[in-house]
Amino acid sequence: MLDWIQNHQQIIYIVLLMVFLGIEVIGRVPSVLHTPLMSGANAIHGVVIIGAIIVMGKAEPDNYLALLLGFLAVILGALNVAGGFVVTDRMLEMFKQKKSK
Amino acid sequence: MELSLLTIIYLVAAVTFILGLKMLSSPASARKGNLIAAFGMVLAILGTIFFYRDEEGKVLHNYLWIFGGLAIGSGAGWVAARKVKMTAMPELVSLFNGMGGACAALISLIEFNHLSHSAGNLSAVSGGTLLIIFLGLIIGSISFAGSVVAWGKLNGRIKDFSFKGQHWINFIILALVVFLVAFILISRPETSGMLFYAVLFLSLLYGFFFVMPIGGADMPVVISLLNSFTGVAAASGGFLYDNKAMLTGGILVGAAGTLLTILMCKAMNRSIFNVLVGNFGGGAAAATGAAAGGARAVKEITASDLAINLNYSKSVVVVPGYGLAVAQAQKTVKELEDVLEANGVEVRYAIHPVAGRMPGHMNVLLAEANVPYPKLVDLEEANEMLAQADVVLVLGANDVVNPAAKDDPTSPIYGMPVLEVWNAKLVVVVKRSMGAGYAGIENPLFFHDRTKMLFGDAKKVLQDLVNEVKAL
């Protein structure tokens, strides 16, 4: 376990910094933007699709279970990413109309 | 060469995520921020497909599967997001969040199978790696099951459901999960495979039971919390593959999502604990409230009477709620505003931070109808304004104008800041029926001396009002 921490210390530092950055970066959000912000953050955690792509791309072509599950993971991840960004954009579209007025 | 290119791509992607999130928290830059993050995401996805090399320097294969999945998923996501009605957006966000969680859980599942097959048994795998796999599995599954329940609750397919001692059952399930994981990590039994599926099943069960008793009105908070869960699940994938883009994006969302959840609770003047554990809108309080309310009579007003009242008042305040969103009446309410303003009546909107199904729901809705931003007034300012108002028009809002939150300590929403509409000279509540609001509690406002009811669909009522005012 200690070895593991030693080997991953770079990553652990990133985690620590990102925790503080994540809190800092949205600290002053007005309540009007809570929903679009949540939706945007929802789209960003769609990065999980990278993991799905790697898993899919590494699967042996005769391991049907891995292929099938990986395929499903890629579909779900893509849904999260594409749907998330598009729905956020639609929410924000309405703010823009107001601005132009 | 390819690998260092990928490193740079991930670096750019991480910056776009941070920048995107930052820009999303200010109205002027929000839309651009979303696009920037989306651009970074596309870059990271394409970079991974073409430049990724595993430990032995091999490229990825199964391109047909990858592109097929990408096409199906993003196609379906795109269409769903484009077609969804304004009112249904929150539940769609919940569903997308669940998909992300399921994706993270599937990755853990595949990796676990891979490790236990290639290593023969699990004893060769380091504890840290196994723990990360379990973390992705558990958090991803909870997020998936919980998000699906939240989605069902928001669109009315799933009703609130709780039983006595449910919190204990939840606790036991969670304890069992922790115990199983610790057992596998420490003793690496032969039956790890089966136990792994037991953990998966229990996590799904936990997600289900976790969200089930929470009232529909609190779903935004729950979705935000599950959103940050999925972020952490995604980050565990980043740990697994030493992938900085996944790690950055995931943890960033995990942290920001947690803070956002707390901010949302604050807007309702409640603690997270209260939202998650305090069964809202359940049994006893609602039943007694309804019984007491049934004995009292409400006063009704006709559209033409109201039109006269509106036309000859100085200041009118509109309190929009979910009913307005359901009736898609935002354009009609703007029309009413225009005809009244033409006759010299000042029309403003009092926006409760949690009116509708999501914080900011009403702002988005009214912005769509081109209601000028300065006309939307925040809670505190609105309460001063409401005392001066001649007529307050409550359009499909209920819990956010409930006086019980101020003066009835037995009410489940006691302590929540509300719009004090009853201070105005006349309150007219436009509602489809006498049914309770989303929190499932009776509203004494309807029986208030200065309250009159106008039953009907918000859009139709408003259209009638517009016609009546024009005819005056």
Side-chain angles (χ1 to χ4, degrees):
Chain A
M1 197 69 197
L2 277 177
D3 282 353
W4 189 84
I5 292 173
Q6 179 71 28
N7 293 335
H8 290 82
Q9 52 169 311
Q10 203 190 357
I11 279 190
I12 294 169
Y13 271 99
I14 295 180
V15 169
L16 278 174
L17 290 173
M18 282 307 138
V19 167
F20 285 101
L21 190 61
I23 291 173
E24 204 53 47
V25 109
I26 68 144
R28 310 188 67 85
V29 60
S31 68
V32 191
L33 281 176
H34 281 174
T35 306
L37 179 64
M38 170 166 56
S39 181
N42 173 49
I44 290 175
H45 71 47
V47 269
V48 70
I49 194 178
I50 291 181
I53 291 171
I54 295 175
V55 134
M56 177 88 253
K58 276 183 174 175
E60 289 90 22
D62 56 347
N63 185 349
Y64 291 108
L65 183 69
L67 280 178
L68 201 68
L69 290 176
F71 185 58
L72 197 61
V74 172
I75 292 179
L76 294 177
L79 257 168
N80 188 180
V81 171
F85 281 118
V86 173
V87 89
T88 311
D89 191 58
R90 273 196 63 192
M91 286 180 190
L92 295 167
E93 220 168 42
M94 292 159 188
F95 282 91
K96 213 187 162 203
Q97 269 184 8
K98 179 200 71 205
K99 282 257 140 197
S100 63
K101 183 95 179 164
Chain B
M1 173 59 195
E2 278 86 0
L3 259 185
S4 53
L5 204 56
L6 188 59
T7 307
I8 293 168
I9 286 177
Y10 282 160
L11 200 61
V12 172
V15 172
T16 65
F17 296 160
I18 298 168
L19 211 62
L21 215 51
K22 174 84 195 158
M23 291 170 83
L24 267 167
S25 50
S26 147
S29 58
R31 197 160 181 213
K32 208 186 270 172
N34 184 50
L35 291 180
I36 286 177
F39 169 76
M41 187 70 74
V42 172
L43 206 62
I45 290 173
L46 292 179
T48 307
I49 295 175
F50 294 113
F51 301 134
Y52 184 84
R53 300 288 182 274
D54 66 7
E55 301 86 40
E56 293 146 33
K58 282 192 291 197
V59 295
L60 295 175
H61 44 273
N62 301 322
Y63 277 123
L64 207 62
W65 289 85
I66 294 176
F67 281 111
L70 280 177
I72 295 173
S74 42
W78 190 291
V79 169
R82 273 275 140 220
K83 292 228 159 132
V84 67
K85 277 187 292 190
M86 194 51 231
T87 44
M89 277 184 189
E91 62 208 55
L92 193 66
V93 172
S94 177
L95 202 60
F96 288 147
N97 179 50
M99 300 298 114
C103 180
L106 279 173
I107 292 171
S108 284
L109 184 62
I110 300 166
E111 273 307 313
F112 184 85
N113 279 337
H114 178 72
L115 285 177
S116 50
H117 281 299
S118 66
N121 57 43
L122 284 173
S123 36
V125 184
S126 93
T129 305
L130 262 187
L131 186 64
I132 289 296
I133 290 180
F134 273 114
L135 220 56
L137 178 82
I138 295 166
I139 302 175
S141 311
I142 292 177
S143 182
F144 169 66
S147 295
V148 170
V149 175
W151 167 77
K153 282 204 174 195
L154 278 176
N155 67 18
R157 269 170 236 241
I158 298 175
K159 295 273 163 272
D160 297 352
F161 162 82
S162 60
F163 51 84
K164 228 178 148 200
Q166 178 159 7
H167 295 305
W168 285 106
I169 297 213
N170 286 6
F171 179 76
I172 291 168
I173 295 175
L174 199 61
L176 213 57
V177 167
V178 173
F179 170 77
L180 278 178
V181 171
F183 179 64
I184 296 173
L185 283 183
I186 293 164
S187 65
R188 310 290 170 92
E190 296 272 312
T191 53
S192 283
M194 264 177 57
L195 291 177
F196 186 86
Y197 285 100
V199 172
L200 170 65
F201 173 75
L202 286 171
S203 306
L204 288 171
L205 200 66
Y206 182 78
F208 179 80
F209 277 130
F210 173 66
V211 179
M212 228 30 209
I214 303 172
D218 285 330
M219 278 309 120
V221 176
V222 173
I223 297 172
S224 176
L225 187 67
L226 293 174
N227 191 29
S228 68
F229 277 17
T230 312
V232 176
S236 77
F239 248 100
L240 210 53
Y241 300 117
D242 200 5
N243 186 308
K244 311 291 191 296
M246 284 173 81
L247 198 68
T248 315
I251 295 290
L252 204 60
V253 172
T258 308
L259 178 66
L260 189 59
T261 312
I262 295 170
L263 290 178
M264 282 181 174
C265 286
K266 268 200 188 139
M268 296 194 292
N269 199 22
R270 297 170 67 200
S271 67
I272 291 199
F273 182 79
N274 184 253
V275 169
L276 298 183
V277 182
N279 294 359
F280 211 73
T288 53
R296 286 182 285 171
V298 295
K299 297 182 287 291
E300 286 194 50
I301 188 171
T302 62
S304 48
D305 281 350
L306 178 57
I308 295 166
N309 266 311
L310 289 172
N311 202 30
Y312 293 103
S313 52
K314 277 224 299 271
S315 150
V316 170
V317 179
V318 176
V319 179
Y322 188 60
L324 184 80
V326 170
Q328 287 290 300
Q330 62 274 27
K331 296 233 162 71
T332 327
V333 79
K334 169 68 178 158
E335 215 179 311
L336 181 67
E337 177 202 315
D338 290 342
V339 294
L340 287 175
E341 297 252 294
N343 293 347
V345 183
E346 192 187 13
V347 182
R348 277 169 302 179
Y349 299 82
I351 309 291
H352 191 281
V354 294
R357 285 292 179 273
M358 291 255 142
H361 199 168
M362 290 302 122
N363 304 65
V364 173
L365 203 66
L366 292 172
E368 191 195 347
N370 283 325
V371 172
Y373 198 56
K375 284 199 168 290
L376 311 183
V377 184
D378 282 346
L379 181 69
E380 278 167 32
E381 216 182 307
N383 275 335
E384 291 167 24
M385 182 177 84
L386 282 165
Q388 315 291 326
D390 295 310
V391 183
V392 173
L393 198 56
V394 180
L395 294 174
N398 191 343
D399 299 322
V400 297
V401 292
N402 193 337
K406 263 193 99 73
D407 52 25
D408 179 8
T410 63
S411 170
I413 60 167
Y414 182 68
M416 178 172 107
V418 287
L419 288 163
E420 294 161 15
V421 292
W422 53 91
N423 290 330
K425 295 197 185 79
L426 172 70
V427 183
V428 177
V429 180
V430 177
K431 237 176 149 298
R432 269 185 300 197
S433 67
M434 276 306 287
Y438 212 66
I441 49 180
E442 190 63 30
N443 193 339
L445 175 74
F446 304 157
F447 311 105
H448 197 278
D449 291 341
R450 275 177 283 191
T451 304
K452 292 197 171 148
M453 307 293 292
L454 182 48
F455 292 111
D457 173 73
K459 190 168 188 173
K460 194 183 165 302
V461 168
L462 285 166
Q463 196 58 58
D464 290 349
L465 285 173
V466 171
N467 296 338
E468 294 280 353
V469 172
K470 275 185 186 163
L472 280 172

